Amino acid sequence: MIEVKHVKKVFGKLEVLKDVSVEVKDGEVVVILGPSGSGKTTLLRCINFLENADSGELTVGDIQVDFKKASKKEILAIRRKTSFVFQNYNLFANKTAIENVMEGLVTARRVPKDIAQKRAKEALNWVGLSDKYDYYPSQLSGGQQQRVGIARAFVLDPEVILFDEPTSALDPELVGETLEIIKKVAEKGITMIVVTHEMSFAQEVADKVIFMDGGVVVEEGPPEEIFTNPKEERTKQFLSRIISLEPTYSI
């Protein structure tokens, strides 16, 4: 289980997260929606300590920490239970696909290189890149790079994977294939928190949808409730605008 309690984050004079609390059950897929600047990516980055929250508490499995007081040892323990898929891939340009996937196993988990290589190949096969082991990021399409990023996150066998708008940097024709891979991850029963604007994906895959705006959670609930009968006027406005503009992807 993941639980965030009363997290706050300020950048200068801008309060990006205002007393946000979120709970995610084991094996649950939670999709976070909201306009740009709503705080959803900042929330995700605080969970993995890519941003330092100003206050609040975080529980991941059996580890509970104070965001402000967390030690390096506690942060490392949280990161060992989580993995992150970035919207801009964040691959090492000087490493091949298989080396990118192996990196976390070898450096962070101290897995022997031969075992790490075997697991990395299995992960790349699973995301449909069995013929791209030795390709560098510059030789891969955006969709292929993102699949490497997903393989890199998946191979760590995390308790939770955090996806930060994983299709936002992709050309439209590559979005569907990436969503299909993320759906495969969900089918494995891995706990997932996904920040996205892909409404059809959220409706099909999510167990719970959270709508954020202005640094707060405006509304949350099962997708059938949020998409067909939202209670808050701000949620209704956002969904009516986004759904009318969204292309249809087959996943």
Side-chain angles (χ1 to χ4, degrees), residues 33-38 211-214 216-219 230-242:
L33 307 175
S36 297
S38 60
F211 174 63
M212 291 184 65
D213 191 23
V216 301
V217 173
V218 176
E219 188 169 355
K231 296 180 176 62
E232 301 296 328
E233 188 59 36
R234 182 67 187 95
T235 312
K236 295 176 184 177
Q237 293 171 354
F238 175 80
L239 291 176
S240 64
R241 186 175 70 252
I242 294 297

Side-chain angles (χ1 to χ4, degrees), residues 20 42 69 149 170 185 199 205 210:
V20 172
T42 300
K69 300 176 182 178
L170 299 178
V185 177
M199 300 297 112
V205 178
I210 295 173

Side-chain angles (χ1 to χ4, degrees), residues 44-249:
L44 216 61
R45 292 176 65 85
C46 286
I47 291 173
N48 206 42
F49 287 90
L50 296 172
E51 296 285 356
N52 295 315
D54 296 305
S55 63
E57 296 179 354
L58 171 66
T59 301
V60 179
D62 57 352
I63 301 174
Q64 183 174 0
V65 299
D66 184 302
F67 275 116
K68 188 67 174 177
K69 300 176 182 178
S71 66
K72 290 182 179 179
K73 183 177 180 180
E74 288 173 326
I75 292 172
L76 179 59
I78 292 290
R79 287 178 173 168
R80 283 179 171 164
K81 288 178 175 287
T82 63
S83 56
F84 205 102
V85 176
F86 298 87
Q87 58 180 295
N88 292 314
Y89 325 133
N90 279 33
L91 301 180
F92 294 107
N94 64 334
K95 294 182 182 292
T96 62
I98 195 165
E99 288 170 340
N100 267 282
V101 177
M102 289 173 59
E103 183 69 19
L105 289 172
V106 174
T107 60
R109 303 293 174 86
R110 307 298 182 191
V111 175
K113 282 191 175 181
D114 58 336
I115 297 174
Q117 185 180 64
K118 180 176 183 292
R119 289 173 59 181
K121 286 182 177 179
E122 291 171 350
L124 286 169
N125 294 347
W126 190 71
V127 298
L129 294 176
S130 59
D131 58 340
K132 305 294 183 185
Y133 296 159
D134 298 322
Y135 282 57
Y136 289 90
S138 62
Q139 298 172 303
L140 300 172
S141 70
Q144 290 168 338
Q145 290 184 65
Q146 191 58 291
R147 280 189 272 165
V148 173
I150 294 169
R152 178 179 59 183
F154 180 75
V155 79
L156 295 172
D157 193 25
E159 292 185 18
V160 58
I161 301 180
L162 308 170
F163 292 84
D164 181 21
E165 300 195 32
T167 61
S168 66
L170 299 178
D171 292 333
E173 65 268 22
L174 301 176
V175 170
E177 68 180 42
T178 303
L179 292 176
E180 183 62 42
I181 297 297
I182 299 172
K183 183 181 175 184
K184 285 177 64 177
V185 177
E187 290 169 350
K188 289 285 187 180
I190 298 173
T191 306
M192 295 165 48
I193 305 177
V194 186
V195 170
T196 185
H197 288 296
E198 306 295 345
M199 300 297 112
S200 58
F201 172 81
Q203 291 180 69
E204 182 176 350
V205 178
D207 297 301
K208 180 166 69 176
V209 174
I210 295 173
F211 174 63
M212 291 184 65
D213 191 23
V216 301
V217 173
V218 176
E219 188 169 355
E220 63 180 273
E224 57 271 19
E225 179 180 302
I226 296 296
F227 286 104
T228 62
N229 190 31
K231 296 180 176 62
E232 301 296 328
E233 188 59 36
R234 182 67 187 95
T235 312
K236 295 176 184 177
Q237 293 171 354
F238 175 80
L239 291 176
S240 64
R241 186 175 70 252
I242 294 297
I243 291 175
S244 66
L245 296 174
E246 185 186 37
T248 301
Y249 303 108

